[in-house]
Amino acid sequence: MELRVLQYFLAVTREQSILGAAESLHLSQPTLSRQLKDLEEELGKQLFIRSNRKITLTEEGMILRKRAEEIMELVRKTEDEIAMSDQIIAGDIHIGAGETEGIRFLAKAAQSLRAEYPLVHFHIVSGDRVSVTENLERGLLDFGLLFGDIDSSKYNSLEVPSTDSFGVLMCRDDPLAQKDLVQPQDLWEKPLIVSRQSVHDNNLLSLLHCCEEKVNVVATYNLLFNGSVMVEEGMGYAICFDHIVNVSGDSRLCYRPLAGSHDLPMHIVWKKYQVLTRAADRFLQSVRNIIGSPQKPS
């Protein structure tokens, strides 16, 4: 499978038309059609459903589109890194992180680096632990900001001076809002809105100190803003970190800490044996300088 053909495939998915894609690629329509047919034969799967009006993707076509986009992004990133390798310190640094006040620490380290090297640019990709680690493994991210335990067989890590603990986002007129501290049993059998990561890690039972029968998850979120909208609409209580959704002023929402929730340590991580770009290496040094210790990665 050639990169050129993947570019052709993505052009067709973008234009939803072989004719439109052929024009954008400056190819003849028969040439492009033949390339796509050869690709389907190579994979042994039908990728398109062809009609007079537009082209749509089969399930296999949707899988290929997702992977092709990742491959082309990785190629672009690699080309940029190689082009910059013998020049001044410059380039892009991609960091995956969940919604957390700890982003301020990364921003401080980033700004410190940019003060010296203004041609370094940062890209924060929001996501939960699942998506961040997946993109780290694919090479689409240079670093990730993760909570809790770190798999030291896969990642190097530095603990950063920031922690988060769980609490509850709810409507201000809810009876539980009268409490300064929500007890786990207050949430038993209540409609809960939780992060996808909580479900993936299966830590709700320990967080709420109860058996599975007492946990009533009615919805999950990937980004807390979406969860906060569900709370506003009366769907339930969102278990989340503080300082992410604005609950001041005229907000209809409020946040209360959850009793028994321990502070979760935060780490910046990167793949073991990964060859860092000069810009990424300098960013790590900036992080270490802010931490105040020249510690080695764990």
Side-chain angles (χ1 to χ4, degrees), residues 129 146 148-157 269-270 272:
R129 188 185 186 101
L146 301 178
D149 297 331
I150 303 300
D151 185 349
S152 59
S153 67
K154 289 185 176 181
Y155 304 111
N156 294 318
S157 66
V269 306
W270 64 102
K272 272 187 178 294

Side-chain angles (χ1 to χ4, degrees), residues 77 94-97 123 125 131-133 135-136 138-144 271 274:
K77 187 171 181 287
H94 296 78
I95 304 172
H123 307 276
V125 181
S131 60
V132 169
T133 53
N135 285 326
L136 276 171
R138 293 170 184 157
L140 299 176
L141 295 174
D142 300 297
F143 303 101
K271 286 177 64 176
Q274 176 179 342

